[in-house]
Amino acid sequence: MKRVVVLTGGVGGAKLVLGLSRITASDALTAIVNTGDDFQHLGLHISPDIDTLLYTLSGKANSAQGWGREGESWSFMAALRELGGEDWFQLGDGDLALHVARTHALTQGQSLSQITARFAAQWGIATRILPMSDQALATILVTDQGRLEFQRYFVEQRCAPAVRHIMFEGATHAVPAPGVIEAIQSADAVLLAPSNPFLSIDPLLAVPGIGSAIKQTKAPVIAVSPLVGGTAVKGPTAKLMQELSMAVDNDSIARHYAGLIDAILIDNGDRCEAPDIVVGRCATLMTTPDDKIRVAQAALDLAISFRS
Ligand code: GDP
């Protein structure tokens, strides 16, 4: 596979992207990243999913914690608390530097994609990391507790409110970031990472032009299921599926992506009987580096099987 494009959110998706980065040529892989989680906090522009990819691919991620950087110090948070500042969103000192540098560059007129590319180069990351858009598109959850911005729902409320509906504010005005459509059009394989379909992949598909580019590509489009053993590995995916009146199974995931994907990669022990979708199998739980490579290879093998 010469050119591989992967649509991804944060932690779950980054595991697959890391695996792919180990088995593809250094200039072959483009990750198009959800920015529906981006928000302004304490005057800073925070891009959680882009940061997760930057940290994961540069070897700086705190994998035990599941977010942020390894070996962080927390002087800023302690000082902020002393001042009675907002402390519901944890910002380690190194993490803070990234947000300050990004926000400063944005105020100087640089785009999110330019800034992301610069940080990736600075940290020696070969994978091309593209934000889905340089414009704001905010994921908003309409819940039994009212309308919540993504981070308020995800971090402050720990996904407890029941979700009735998900909206992507700004979607009509957002345009794909430079290179996004071209990457999809010239890809030999397009992968949907096992990210949350509703909160990580749907915002990407809400950017006008991205979904249609994927539908039109001749390259095989392969989704890796976020369900293992009939439930989500982590996060609110399964809870959301129930709240949105879906069965928590791979058929629902395949149906959700109907018209978009050619195949779905699911765990060995799971089932998928959705019509017109090729089903691939492997052990899809990614804990160790070898797991990530195995799942990445299985997704690429599934894509290659469409050539013949
Ligand atoms: P977030 O943006 O940080 O919430 O992360 P993502 O949306 O990228 O990923 C969350 C999803 O990844 C959840 O639905 C998980 O079930 C899925 N996930 C996490 N780890 C794994 C794994 O090892 N294997 C698979 N197949 N899915 C995973």
Side-chain angles (χ1 to χ4, degrees), residues 11 32 66 72 81 109-110 123 136-137 145 197 216 236 245 248 264 277 284 293 299-300:
V11 178
I32 304 176
E72 267 293 18
R81 253 180 231 114
Q110 291 178 41
W123 284 350
L137 182 159
Q145 314 279 312
Q216 283 160 18
S245 307
V248 183
I264 185 165
I277 299 283
T284 57
I293 290 171
L300 291 186

Coordinates of all heavy atoms in Angstrom, one line a residue, residues 11 32 66 72 81 109-110 123 136-137 145 197 216 236 245 248 264 277 284 293 299-300:
V11 N -7.6 8.7 21.5 CA -6.8 7.6 22.1 C -7.0 6.3 21.3 O -6.0 5.6 21.0 CB -7.2 7.4 23.6 CG1 -6.5 6.2 24.2 CG2 -6.9 8.7 24.4
I32 N -6.1 12.0 9.2 CA -7.0 13.1 9.2 C -7.7 13.1 10.6 O -8.4 12.1 10.9 CB -7.9 13.1 8.0 CG1 -7.1 13.0 6.7 CG2 -8.9 14.3 8.0 CD1 -8.0 12.8 5.5
G66 N -3.8 7.4 29.7 CA -4.7 7.4 28.6 C -4.9 8.8 28.0 O -5.6 9.0 27.1
E72 N 4.8 14.2 33.3 CA 4.4 15.6 33.4 C 4.7 16.1 34.8 O 4.7 15.4 35.8 CB 2.9 15.7 33.2 CG 2.4 16.0 31.8 CD 2.8 17.4 31.4 OE1 3.7 18.1 31.9 OE2 2.2 17.8 30.4
R81 N -5.0 26.5 41.0 CA -5.9 26.1 42.1 C -5.8 27.1 43.2 O -6.8 27.6 43.8 CB -5.6 24.7 42.6 CG -6.7 23.8 42.2 CD -6.5 22.3 42.7 NE -6.6 21.5 41.5 CZ -5.6 20.8 41.0 NH1 -4.4 20.8 41.5 NH2 -5.8 20.0 39.9
G109 N -1.8 34.5 13.1 CA -2.4 34.3 11.8 C -2.0 32.9 11.1 O -2.4 32.7 10.0
Q110 N -1.3 32.1 11.8 CA -1.0 30.7 11.2 C -2.3 29.9 11.4 O -3.1 30.1 12.3 CB 0.1 30.1 12.0 CG 1.5 30.8 11.7 CD 2.6 30.1 12.4 OE1 2.7 28.9 12.5 NE2 3.5 31.0 13.0
W123 N 9.0 17.4 16.4 CA 9.1 16.2 17.2 C 9.5 15.0 16.4 O 9.3 13.8 16.9 CB 7.8 15.9 18.0 CG 7.6 16.9 19.2 CD1 8.5 17.7 19.7 CD2 6.4 17.0 20.0 NE1 8.0 18.4 20.7 CE2 6.7 18.0 20.9 CE3 5.1 16.5 19.9 CZ2 5.8 18.4 21.9 CZ3 4.2 16.9 20.9 CH2 4.5 17.9 21.9
A136 N -13.6 26.3 12.8 CA -14.2 25.6 14.0 C -15.4 24.8 13.6 O -16.2 25.3 12.8 CB -14.6 26.7 15.0
L137 N -15.5 23.6 14.2 CA -16.7 22.8 14.0 C -16.8 22.1 15.4 O -15.9 21.3 15.8 CB -16.5 21.7 12.9 CG -17.7 20.8 12.7 CD1 -17.6 20.2 11.3 CD2 -17.8 19.7 13.7
Q145 N -29.5 16.6 30.5 CA -29.1 17.7 31.4 C -29.0 19.0 30.5 O -28.4 20.0 31.0 CB -27.7 17.5 32.0 CG -27.5 16.1 32.6 CD -28.0 16.0 33.9 OE1 -27.8 16.9 34.8 NE2 -28.8 15.0 34.2
P197 N -17.5 6.2 16.8 CA -18.1 6.6 15.5 C -18.9 7.9 15.6 O -19.0 8.6 14.6 CB -19.1 5.4 15.2 CG -18.5 4.3 16.0 CD -17.9 4.9 17.2
Q216 N -16.6 8.6 -3.0 CA -16.2 8.6 -4.4 C -14.9 7.9 -4.7 O -14.6 7.5 -5.8 CB -16.1 10.0 -5.0 CG -17.4 10.6 -5.3 CD -17.4 12.1 -5.3 OE1 -16.4 12.7 -5.5 NE2 -18.6 12.7 -5.2
P236 N -17.4 6.3 26.1 CA -18.9 6.3 26.1 C -19.5 5.6 24.8 O -20.7 5.7 24.7 CB -19.2 7.7 26.1 CG -18.2 8.4 25.4 CD -16.9 7.6 25.6
S245 N -30.6 4.4 20.9 CA -31.5 3.3 20.5 C -30.9 2.3 19.5 O -31.5 1.9 18.6 CB -32.8 3.8 20.0 OG -33.3 4.7 20.9
V248 N -25.8 -2.7 20.8 CA -24.4 -2.5 20.9 C -23.7 -3.7 20.2 O -23.4 -4.7 20.8 CB -23.9 -2.4 22.3 CG1 -22.4 -2.1 22.4 CG2 -24.7 -1.3 23.0
I264 N -15.3 -4.2 7.2 CA -15.1 -3.9 8.7 C -14.2 -4.9 9.3 O -14.4 -6.1 9.0 CB -16.5 -3.7 9.4 CG1 -16.3 -3.3 10.8 CG2 -17.3 -5.0 9.4 CD1 -17.6 -2.8 11.5
I277 N -21.2 -6.0 3.3 CA -20.0 -5.5 4.0 C -19.1 -6.7 4.1 O -19.5 -7.7 4.7 CB -20.3 -4.9 5.4 CG1 -21.2 -3.7 5.2 CG2 -19.0 -4.6 6.1 CD1 -20.5 -2.4 4.7
T284 N -8.5 -7.7 18.0 CA -8.4 -6.2 17.7 C -8.1 -5.4 19.0 O -8.1 -4.2 18.9 CB -9.7 -5.7 17.0 OG1 -10.8 -6.0 17.9 CG2 -9.9 -6.2 15.7
I293 N 0.6 -3.2 15.8 CA 1.0 -3.5 14.4 C 0.2 -4.6 13.8 O -0.2 -4.6 12.6 CB 2.5 -4.0 14.5 CG1 3.4 -2.8 14.8 CG2 3.0 -4.7 13.3 CD1 4.8 -3.1 15.2
A299 N -5.8 -4.6 9.0 CA -6.6 -3.6 8.3 C -6.1 -3.4 6.8 O -6.8 -3.4 5.9 CB -6.7 -2.3 9.0
L300 N -4.7 -3.3 6.7 CA -4.1 -3.2 5.4 C -4.3 -4.4 4.5 O -4.6 -4.3 3.3 CB -2.6 -2.8 5.5 CG -2.3 -1.5 6.1 CD1 -0.8 -1.2 6.0 CD2 -3.0 -0.4 5.4

